[in-house]
Amino acid sequence: MNKQECIINGMAESPMFVLSGGSKELFHSNFLYWLGTNYRVVFQELMSKLCRINSSWPEGWAVKREYRHLDLCVTYEKTTGKQQEGKASVGEWAFIVLENKVKSLPDLIQLRRYEQVFAGKGNGCSYVVLSLTKEFPGSKYLKENTCWQFHHYDELAQLMEECVQDSTIKEEHRLYIRDYCHYASSLSALAEGWKIKEQTSFLSQRSDLRELRLNDIYEKLRYAQIATLLAEKLKARIVNDSDEERVILGMSNIDVILRQREDANDILCFYGCPEAKPFGQVFIGSGMTHAVGLVEAKVKVSDDCCLVVQVQGNRYCHGFECEGILKSTDRLSPDQLRFLNFEGNRLPGKEAKADSRLCRYNANFIYKSQKILPTHTIGDILNTMIADCQI
């Protein structure tokens, strides 16, 4: 039995795994909530170390889970400085906001939305992300440009091992805590082995992760790594010293690229792209939709239209995304129509044939696709996407 099999078997037999039920995020939040409810002093010590809190905790703090769409938060009440019906008005303030990321990767737009939950009442609040993966595409930008701290579940487990020595903890509960620490550490060790190789079949799956209900995060991380490799290779191929903003990793939202959102400027600046230039910029994103992994590159070809190269599941797609594209394809040039119809560049192999059917998604995205074969490697997909992005 190899190391990964030992980890998987050990986790599956763990009572903490059996008790975890559905959502892994909910499980971790529930466990920390249980600790904060039953052992306030231990919880306070643990979270102070994890969040690097040096100040005193507010009196009467309360730990809450699944509160106002937040996984876990510590709140307290204090006067607002205003009067209401002749009495001092009291408001709820945030001391800690914690977001669990077990089955997904941290997302800038989501984290910014969560910052607004206690807008004006989160001064001095510690915003914390607990992630299963130590490094992920875009982590450097998030760490340098947001107020969130990023910690790993293995770090939480190590700190919790220290806290379990507290004499106030019941012996039975010590077993629960140690089992949780083993579970979190094993989960982290398993995720550290999820590194892609270009010679691996693109369609390779990890059936052993389905039992642990970890296939979602594995696929998200796999596609995120593919997106990162694509960006690195494209930058090496098409970017020169005076053109650093040509390839943008981490964001492919069409409403941002075409500046249709109010916060588009802020998002573009965050990703090192102060303005979406009219032509030639490549925006690369990844994620999951309908439980299927996705990586895509969008090349801005005009002020209101993007050429799209997209891989979703076992389909390789050529398309265009712009308003009103379904009503007429007359706006596409002859070269763009050839791209849409896979005339020229396509996946390698005689068996790899493009469908003739024109498909659509929502109202503004048309595409045709080609089936990805088991013989196609990650390297094949990357090389074909790079060639397509240079059309």
Side-chain angles (χ1 to χ4, degrees):
M1 185 181 295
N2 62 34
K3 181 180 178 181
Q4 273 196 341
E5 288 172 334
C6 289
I7 291 173
I8 290 171
N9 289 340
M11 289 171 60
E13 293 170 1
S14 163
M16 296 305 294
F17 173 71
V18 174
L19 291 170
S20 67
S23 168
K24 297 288 188 298
E25 280 84 357
L26 184 60
F27 167 56
H28 289 282
S29 297
N30 283 347
F31 193 86
L32 288 172
Y33 173 80
W34 171 84
L35 188 69
T37 302
N38 291 277
Y39 297 103
R40 287 175 65 86
V41 174
V42 174
F43 177 81
Q44 183 172 321
E45 179 185 354
L46 169 70
M47 297 305 292
S48 292
K49 289 181 178 178
L50 179 71
C51 306
R52 305 186 185 101
I53 297 173
N54 297 316
S55 59
S56 300
W57 281 49
E59 292 185 9
W61 59 266
V63 58
K64 300 178 180 180
R65 65 177 181 228
E66 295 297 307
Y67 180 64
R68 298 176 69 176
H69 303 292
L70 301 172
D71 285 346
L72 191 84
C73 57
V74 174
T75 66
Y76 63 101
E77 293 184 345
K78 77 169 189 177
T79 58
T80 62
K82 299 179 181 179
Q83 294 286 321
Q84 187 174 7
E85 297 181 357
K87 298 180 180 179
S89 175
V90 176
E92 184 180 46
W93 293 64
F95 187 65
I96 297 173
V97 171
L98 185 144
E99 176 69 8
N100 285 297
K101 289 296 180 186
V102 180
K103 297 182 70 175
S104 58
L105 298 173
D107 174 74
L108 169 68
I109 297 175
Q110 183 189 56
L111 295 182
R112 284 190 168 166
R113 187 171 70 247
Y114 289 164
E115 290 171 17
Q116 298 305 310
V117 173
F118 286 98
K121 295 182 178 179
N123 298 335
C125 175
S126 295
Y127 290 89
V128 181
V129 173
L130 271 173
S131 175
L132 181 59
T133 54
K134 291 181 180 178
E135 294 296 334
F136 51 89
S139 61
K140 181 175 181 289
Y141 298 111
L142 288 171
K143 291 173 183 177
E144 293 178 353
N145 294 281
T146 72
C147 66
W148 291 78
Q149 301 177 35
F150 292 83
H151 298 283
H152 191 251
Y153 283 105
D154 202 30
E155 183 182 350
L156 174 67
Q158 291 172 12
L159 291 173
M160 200 173 284
E161 284 279 12
E162 298 173 10
C163 294
V164 80
Q165 307 302 325
D166 192 286
S167 60
T168 62
I169 299 177
K170 297 178 182 178
E171 188 59 36
E172 180 185 5
H173 292 170
R174 289 181 200 273
L175 296 176
Y176 294 160
I177 295 171
R178 287 196 176 104
D179 207 11
Y180 172 85
C181 292
H182 172 71
Y183 167 75
S185 296
S186 298
L187 200 61
S188 300
L190 184 64
E192 283 303 294
W194 298 343
K195 307 296 182 187
I196 66 167
K197 296 179 181 179
E198 289 191 49
Q199 63 270 29
T200 304
S201 169
F202 184 85
L203 298 178
S204 62
Q205 299 292 316
R206 286 289 304 273
S207 58
D208 54 348
L209 297 178
R210 295 190 183 280
E211 181 183 355
L212 299 177
R213 295 189 289 278
L214 290 174
N215 198 59
D216 280 7
I217 180 60
Y218 168 72
E219 283 294 283
K220 286 176 183 175
L221 188 59
R222 188 170 79 99
Y223 276 86
Q225 290 181 73
I226 292 170
T228 301
L229 265 178
L230 175 63
E232 290 174 353
K233 288 176 177 291
L234 266 174
K235 285 180 180 179
R237 188 80 63 89
I238 67 174
V239 174
N240 56 50
D241 293 339
S242 62
D243 198 15
E244 294 181 357
E245 299 166 7
R246 184 82 182 274
V247 178
I248 312 300
L249 173 64
M251 193 274 298
S252 59
N253 305 56
I254 192 69
D255 53 354
V256 175
I257 299 171
L258 301 182
R259 292 178 171 276
Q260 295 170 340
R261 288 174 59 118
E262 292 183 2
D263 58 351
N265 287 348
D266 291 339
I267 296 171
L268 289 168
C269 284
F270 174 82
Y271 284 104
C273 175
E275 60 176 304
K277 296 176 183 177
F279 302 104
Q281 279 184 298
V282 184
F283 295 83
I284 299 172
S286 64
M288 289 193 79
T289 177
H290 305 299
V292 178
L294 175 146
V295 62
E296 61 185 358
K298 294 181 180 178
V299 184
K300 193 171 183 186
V301 294
S302 70
D303 287 336
D304 63 350
C305 186
C306 282
L307 174 152
V308 182
V309 180
Q310 184 184 88
V311 177
Q312 183 176 14
N314 68 343
R315 309 302 301 183
Y316 186 95
C317 305
H318 283 181
F320 287 90
E321 190 166 10
C322 47
E323 190 173 350
I325 191 68
L326 282 179
K327 296 178 181 179
S328 173
T329 57
D330 293 344
R331 65 197 304 175
L332 301 179
S333 70
D335 286 340
Q336 290 170 349
L337 284 171
R338 282 192 287 271
F339 166 81
L340 181 65
N341 291 308
F342 282 89
E343 295 175 12
N345 191 50
R346 61 178 60 185
L347 290 173
K350 293 182 179 179
E351 297 180 5
K353 296 180 180 179
D355 295 340
S356 59
R357 184 167 62 100
L358 182 67
C359 303
R360 69 180 180 91
Y361 180 75
N362 290 334
N364 302 319
F365 180 35
I366 59 170
Y367 66 95
K368 289 186 178 181
S369 68
Q370 179 180 359
K371 188 174 182 179
I372 298 173
L373 304 175
T375 54
H376 289 136
T377 65
I378 290 175
D380 290 332
I381 301 297
L382 285 170
N383 291 334
T384 308
M385 292 187 78
I386 290 168
D388 280 338
C389 288
Q390 296 180 82
I391 290 177

